[in-house]
Amino acid sequence: MAGLEIKKLCKSFDIKGTKVSALNNINLLIEDESFVTIVGKSGCGKTTLLRIICGLENQTEGNISFIYRDEKLKEKDSKKKVSIVFQEPRLMPWLTVEQNMAFPLIKNKNRQEVCDIVHKYLNMLGLEKFKEAYPSQISGGMAQRVSLGRTLCYNPEIILMDEPLGALDAFNRSKLQREFINIFLENKKTIVFVTHDVDEAIYLGQKIVVMDKGHIIKKEIIDMDYYRDSSSNKFLEIKNSLLKEILA
């Protein structure tokens, strides 16, 4: 497994001759096998940071490097595996649930291995009964689970999530939050989860990063066991502290 070290990261855009800064001097350590949530208002730079980490955007300045507990892995893996789950499931409508999840394994010629991997995550995510269904035949919550299953089949070292629950109703959102925690505890993946929901950030994250106008303005370690009670005094105390920073 891998973590990330981000140093002095900056990103600016040129819009009709005007330089617009999206990220400013971002310094962040994301330890391996950790769950980090990034929270902030719309336009604060959360998504831009994820896009740079996964290679969809290039930074203007600064560095991102992978870190390992086992230095031998650093020499072994020159190409690190990072995958991103978007707010929209982005499934291929002409493929079944099972085929969508198997898609990242298309280059694997061992059919039995592919079948075993896909069925492991179909069962884990409660999708076995819907494996032959097409995206148009399943709910939004199920589609998001398929998207997550596709990522898990790819077996990345780091999973990035860009507000993956933003379009769901409260019931499905709560259910999938628990699924994310289960997957994190079982698979020991490094997860970076972007949200604008403070409650969600506290419920999921071991570390919370608060962003505003392209800056990191607060980092908070959450010393609470899973699964967390959002009505507890400690939860509400952390929430009020974060909201003061975000709304200041």
Side-chain angles (χ1 to χ4, degrees):
M1 296 298 174
L4 286 169
E5 187 171 20
I6 301 169
K7 290 184 176 180
K8 299 180 180 179
L9 193 75
C10 298
K11 175 66 178 181
S12 59
F13 297 94
D14 192 304
I15 301 177
K16 294 184 178 180
T18 302
K19 183 179 178 181
V20 178
S21 179
L23 295 174
N24 238 309
N25 197 33
I26 300 295
N27 294 284
L28 180 62
L29 176 64
I30 299 169
E31 296 172 329
D32 67 315
E33 299 183 7
S34 68
F35 201 135
V36 175
T37 52
I38 303 176
V39 67
K41 300 174 187 175
S42 296
C44 70
K46 306 184 302 292
T47 294
T48 300
L49 179 58
L50 283 201
R51 290 177 63 84
I52 292 173
I53 291 173
C54 69
L56 294 175
E57 296 271 359
N58 293 320
Q59 64 264 42
T60 307
E61 298 177 29
N63 297 295
I64 298 177
S65 56
F66 285 77
I67 53 174
Y68 292 91
R69 288 183 187 175
D70 186 349
E71 283 297 313
K72 293 178 181 177
L73 292 175
K74 188 174 182 179
E75 298 174 5
K76 181 180 178 182
D77 287 332
S78 58
K79 188 174 182 180
K80 320 304 185 301
K81 292 172 80 173
V82 179
S83 187
I84 186 166
V85 178
F86 295 98
Q87 183 171 346
E88 313 82 19
R90 301 194 181 187
L91 303 179
M92 287 166 277
W94 59 89
L95 298 181
T96 65
V97 164
E98 184 176 29
Q99 291 166 340
N100 266 286
M101 286 175 57
F103 189 78
L105 305 172
I106 196 167
K107 293 183 180 178
N108 188 332
K109 296 186 174 17
N110 187 326
R111 294 176 65 88
Q112 187 57 53
E113 184 179 4
V114 171
C115 184
D116 290 345
I117 292 169
V118 172
H119 281 268
K120 172 185 175 181
Y121 292 114
L122 281 169
N123 286 321
M124 178 186 292
L125 295 168
L127 293 166
E128 181 65 35
K129 292 181 181 178
F130 303 92
K131 65 182 182 180
E132 296 181 2
Y134 289 91
S136 62
Q137 298 172 317
I138 59 178
S139 69
M142 283 185 188
Q144 198 59 276
R145 274 187 273 164
V146 177
S147 178
L148 178 60
R150 180 176 57 190
T151 292
L152 292 170
C153 286
Y154 178 58
N155 193 30
E157 295 178 25
I158 298 173
I159 298 176
L160 309 177
M161 297 190 183
D162 188 9
E163 301 198 36
L165 307 181
L168 300 183
D169 59 75
F171 176 78
N172 277 308
R173 187 169 191 145
S174 177
K175 188 174 181 180
L176 276 176
Q177 285 171 351
R178 292 184 68 86
E179 290 289 351
F180 289 155
I181 293 170
N182 291 338
I183 288 164
F184 169 67
L185 294 175
E186 182 172 333
N187 293 270
K188 297 300 182 184
K189 298 288 185 185
T190 302
I191 298 178
V192 184
F193 188 106
V194 157
T195 180
H196 62 269
D197 187 318
V198 174
D199 287 82
E200 185 168 76
I202 302 168
Y203 186 73
L204 295 175
Q206 295 175 322
K207 178 194 287 185
I208 299 179
V209 177
V210 182
M211 294 186 66
D212 185 45
K213 297 177 182 178
H215 296 267
I216 291 177
I217 59 172
K218 186 179 180 67
K219 299 173 188 174
E220 180 95 20
I221 302 298
I222 307 301
D223 184 22
M224 297 174 69
D225 294 332
Y226 295 119
Y227 300 84
R228 296 165 183 167
D229 179 0
S230 61
S231 64
S232 71
N233 289 336
K234 190 168 185 178
F235 193 103
L236 294 173
E237 183 182 326
I238 295 169
K239 179 179 178 179
N240 289 333
S241 173
L242 294 175
L243 285 173
K244 282 181 183 178
E245 294 288 343
I246 294 169
L247 302 176

